[in-house]
Amino acid sequence: MASVEQHVEEEILQAPSRASATNGGIPVENPATGEIVATVPDLGAEAVAEMAARGRAAQPEWEAYGFDGRARVLVRAQKWLMDNAERVVETIVSETGKTYEDAQLAEIGYAGNAFGFWAKMGAEYLADERVKSSQVLVKGKKLLLRYRPLGLIGVIGPWNYPLTNSFGDCIPALMAGNSVILKPSEITPLTSMLLAEGLRECGLPENVLQIATGRGETGAALVEHVDMIMFTGSTKTGRKVAEEAAKRLIPASLELGGKDPMLVLSDADLERAANFATYYSMQNAGQTCISIERVYVEEPVYDEFVAKVSEKVRALRVGKPEGYGSVEVGAITFPPQLETIKDHVADAVQKGARVLTGGKQVPGAGRFFEPTVIVDVDHTMKCMTEETFGPTLPIMKVHDADEAVRLANNSHYGLGASVFSKDTARGEAIARRLDAGAANVNDAMINYTVLELPMGGAKASGLGSRHGAGGIRKYCSQQAIVVTKLAMKKEPFMYPYKARTSRMLAGLFKFMYGRGKRD
Ligand code: NDP
C-alpha cells in the first residue's frame, strides 16, 4: 500500500503550475503525534488563475457527458471509495488526529452515500420542468424551466471533515456539469488530493476537478475567478468571502459556525438523552459544526441527567488513535482551537462554573483535551454563547421548556438543535419554535446524513443550504424557455392599436382576473 506521502508527491508532480507555487510549501502535521506527514504546495494567486483557465476549458466536455455519463463516473468513484476506504481513513486520521471510527462513520459513510445519491438524484433535481401559466398571453406555448451549470465552481472547506465538508460539496457541483476547484484547509489538504486522484482513476476528465492547496490567501484568490463559491468555515471568514463574492456579483453559499443547543424536557428518556449528549458533544472531539455545544435541562430531571452524563463522559478514553476501538476521543486538529477551548473553560470557572470531569489539556505528545462536563453555567460565559469546537459539554438548569426555548434562541448562531421528550408531539412543537436550520426530536446531528433534506444555518450560521434539490440547483443558473409552436404572423395585441381589440382584451382580463375567487 502506498503511503500518504507518496500520493501527495505524485499529486505535487502532476499539479499544473508548481512554478507559480510560493515558498517551500505547507507542512501537514499529524495533530495526534506532532509528526509532519507531508508537505504540499502553497499556491499563489497566479497559480489559481491558471487553474481557473484550465477548469473553464475542461468544463464544456464534462457538461457534454450528460447526466448519465457524469453519473457513471460518480458511481465508479463510489466503488473506488469503498475499495480504498481504509487508505482514505488512514489519510484522514493522519491529518486530523480524529479516531478511526469518526473517520469511518462521518466521512466514509457520508461520502459513500453522497456519490450514489447525487449520481441518482442529480438528473431528477435538474430535469427540465414543464410549467403551466395563468398568463392568458402565453396560452398554447411550451414553457420550460431549465437548469444549466454555472461553469466553474470554487469550493472552500474547513479542517474538521476533510472528506465530508471539503470534498463532499464537490460531488453535486460536478454532477451538475461544472468544473470545480477545491481549496481545502491548509491544515488538512491530503484527503482532498487523494480523492482527486481517485476520481481521475474513475475517468473524470483532466482539470474538471483541481485541488488548490494553500492558505487563506489561496481561498481569497479563488473567489476572484469562479462563477460561484461554496464556502464552509467560520462565520468570520464566511463574511469576508460573502463580501468578495458580492463585489463580483457571484452567488455564495455559506455553511458557517454553530452553537447547537440540546433541550432535555422532564419527560425525556434520560438514559437516551445522556447517551446522545455524551456522543454528540464528544464525537470528533467536539469539532463538528453541529456538535451539541450546550444543554438546557428542566429542573426536575437536572440532577439525574448530570449524574448520568458525567459518568459516561468520565469513562471516555482520549488520546492517539491506534486503530479501531483504541480511543473514543481523538486530537484537537487545529492548534489555535486548543487555546479557544482552554479559554472557554477558564472563563466559565472564573465566573463561577464547576468542572465535573475533565477541564485540562492532556499532557504529553499530541494535542488533546480531556472530555469535559461543566455545570452552574449561564449566558455570561463564553462556553454558552461562543462556538467552543472542542470536547466540552456545559449543562444548564432551566425552570421549564419555555425558558429552554428562550435561551436556546438567545444566540447569533442557528445551525442545529435537538429536543428530548417522550411526548413526540410536544417535542416537535418545541422543535418548531427553535431558530435553527435543523431540529431533531429524540436525536441529534442525524439530519446531516439525510441528503434528501436541506442542511443550512439560520442567522449567522450561514446563507443557503447543502443537500436536497436546492443543494444541486445552487450550482446552476435557471433559464426560462418559451417555445411558440402555433406561430401566427403577429399577435392580436401588436401594432396598429385598435380600440376594438383593446376592449376585447379588457373583457378578457376582467373575465380571467376579475371574478374575485380562486381558480
Ligand atoms: P476558517 O473560516 O478559518 O477556514 C475555512 C476555509 O477558508 C479554510 O480553507 C481557510 O484556509 C479558508 N480561508 C481563510 N481565509 C480566507 C479568505 N480570506 N478567503 C477565502 N478563504 C479563506 O474555518 P475553519 O477551517 O477553522 O473551520 C471551522 C469552522 O467551520 C467552524 O466554525 C465550524 O462550525 C465551521 N463548519 C461549518 C459547517 C457547516 O456545515 N455549517 C461544517 C463544518 C465546519 P486555511 O485553513 O488554509 O486558512
Side-chain angles (χ1 to χ4, degrees):
M1 187 175 70
S3 70
V4 170
E5 290 90 317
Q6 271 172 300
H7 295 305
V8 173
E9 274 313 311
E10 281 165 27
E11 188 68 32
I12 289 170
L13 289 172
Q14 285 169 17
S17 180
R18 299 308 160 191
S20 323
T22 55
N23 61 53
I26 302 172
V28 181
E29 181 208 36
N30 181 337
T33 61
E35 279 171 80
I36 301 301
V37 292
T39 302
V40 300
D42 183 5
L43 296 183
E46 203 187 315
V48 173
E50 289 170 11
M51 291 171 103
R54 266 186 285 277
R56 281 191 193 289
Q59 188 269 335
E61 184 201 339
W62 176 236
E63 183 180 351
Y65 271 48
F67 290 121
D68 283 350
R70 297 196 292 272
R72 264 196 297 278
V73 174
L74 293 192
V75 168
R76 279 203 290 272
Q78 183 182 39
K79 167 111 176 41
W80 180 93
L81 181 64
M82 292 304 117
D83 291 346
N84 292 274
E86 283 318 305
R87 187 172 144 200
V88 178
V89 165
E90 288 288 350
T91 305
I92 295 172
V93 171
S94 79
E95 61 181 348
T96 61
K98 67 174 69 181
T99 66
Y100 283 73
E101 282 80 358
D102 287 339
Q104 183 193 54
L105 189 73
E107 305 243 45
I108 302 289
Y110 175 90
N113 184 25
F115 275 120
F117 174 79
W118 291 116
K120 174 163 178 261
M121 296 304 294
E124 191 173 319
Y125 287 149
L126 300 182
D128 285 357
E129 285 174 31
R130 195 75 184 249
V131 171
K132 280 195 179 148
S133 176
S134 59
Q135 174 54 265
V136 65
L137 299 179
V138 297
K139 290 289 174 223
K141 295 179 197 284
K142 179 176 165 188
L143 309 174
L144 282 180
L145 165 57
R146 174 212 169 190
Y147 296 96
R148 69 197 314 191
L150 280 165
L152 179 63
I153 306 297
V155 176
I156 300 180
W159 44 261
N160 59 340
Y161 285 97
L163 179 53
T164 298
N165 282 145
S166 280
F167 189 81
D169 290 310
C170 300
I171 306 172
L174 289 170
M175 183 60 201
N178 298 286
S179 285
V180 176
I181 300 178
L182 166 61
K183 206 303 263 176
S185 167
E186 73 190 66
I187 307 292
T188 56
L190 306 182
T191 306
S192 299
M193 296 167 92
L194 180 55
L195 262 288
E197 184 190 315
L199 273 170
R200 259 203 310 269
E201 278 177 32
C202 295
L204 189 73
E206 204 62 31
N207 295 320
V208 170
L209 173 69
Q210 300 173 86
I211 311 298
T213 53
R215 303 180 204 274
E217 299 75 46
T218 310
L222 185 58
V223 182
E224 294 296 311
H225 292 283
V226 291
D227 299 313
M228 184 269 183
I229 192 79
M230 169 66 226
F231 174 86
T232 306
S234 64
T235 298
K236 190 170 156 227
T237 314
R239 273 189 223 281
K240 287 190 207 163
V241 168
E243 281 169 18
E244 293 311 311
K247 282 185 201 156
R248 292 196 56 231
L249 285 179
I250 58 163
S253 188
L254 309 170
E255 297 289 339
L256 309 177
K259 188 72 190 169
D260 287 10
M262 172 186 187
L263 282 60
V264 182
L265 307 187
S266 49
D267 66 347
D269 176 338
L270 286 193
E271 184 60 21
R272 181 176 174 88
N275 279 327
F276 276 61
T278 303
Y279 181 73
Y280 285 113
S281 62
M282 302 298 158
Q283 173 270 355
N284 214 43
Q287 303 161 109
T288 303
C289 51
I290 47 175
S291 290
I292 294 176
E293 284 246 342
R294 50 192 171 123
V295 187
Y296 303 97
V297 190
E298 278 192 297
E299 212 162 0
V301 293
Y302 174 82
D303 288 339
E304 192 182 343
F305 176 79
V306 168
K308 280 180 182 290
V309 171
S310 302
E311 191 191 329
K312 291 173 194 297
V313 171
R314 211 168 280 128
L316 300 178
R317 296 163 296 165
V318 57
K320 177 175 180 264
E322 305 270 13
Y324 292 95
S326 55
V327 285
E328 278 82 33
V329 180
I332 305 303
T333 305
F334 185 46
Q337 204 64 43
L338 187 59
E339 300 315 311
T340 304
I341 298 164
K342 286 195 225 169
D343 175 48
H344 285 195
V345 174
D347 171 76
V349 170
Q350 193 250 321
K351 288 172 180 161
R354 278 183 302 134
V355 172
L356 295 187
T357 182
K360 295 188 299 297
Q361 180 177 357
V362 177
R367 205 164 36 245
F368 300 96
F369 197 83
E370 294 171 348
T372 299
V373 176
I374 314 172
V375 293
D376 299 344
V377 290
D378 61 40
H379 275 223
T380 65
M381 300 169 188
K382 293 179 191 175
C383 69
M384 294 299 282
T385 56
E386 295 177 21
E387 189 178 42
T388 308
F389 228 54
T392 57
L393 188 63
I395 309 175
M396 182 170 175
K397 188 194 291 182
V398 292
H399 293 301
D400 54 25
D402 284 343
E403 187 185 10
V405 170
R406 186 175 57 74
L407 288 167
N409 287 341
N410 181 16
S411 169
H412 55 274
Y413 290 117
L415 201 51
S418 55
V419 183
F420 281 73
S421 166
K422 281 188 196 145
D423 179 347
T424 50
R426 182 177 175 227
E428 188 183 324
I430 286 176
R432 286 169 180 270
R433 290 168 62 195
L434 296 174
D435 301 336
N440 295 281
V441 177
N442 294 325
D443 215 317
M445 223 193 266
I446 198 72
N447 62 284
Y448 201 98
T449 66
V450 187
L451 301 183
E452 294 79 0
L453 279 176
M455 165 69 214
K459 301 194 271 188
S461 288
L463 269 183
S465 57
R466 54 165 66 97
H467 303 163
I472 189 164
R473 289 178 182 164
K474 69 183 179 182
Y475 298 117
C476 299
S477 61
Q478 296 184 3
Q479 187 180 35
I481 295 185
V482 178
V483 178
T484 304
K485 288 181 187 160
L486 263 175
M488 297 175 297
K489 298 293 177 212
K490 69 171 187 173
E491 301 292 338
F493 53 79
M494 288 179 171
Y495 303 136
Y497 287 154
K498 289 183 189 149
R500 192 164 158 266
T501 315
S502 302
R503 273 196 304 278
M504 266 174 56
L505 271 176
L508 182 63
F509 288 152
K510 203 162 179 185
F511 172 74
M512 295 290 295
Y513 312 132
R515 283 171 290 163
K517 53 181 181 181
R518 276 188 280 177
D519 281 329

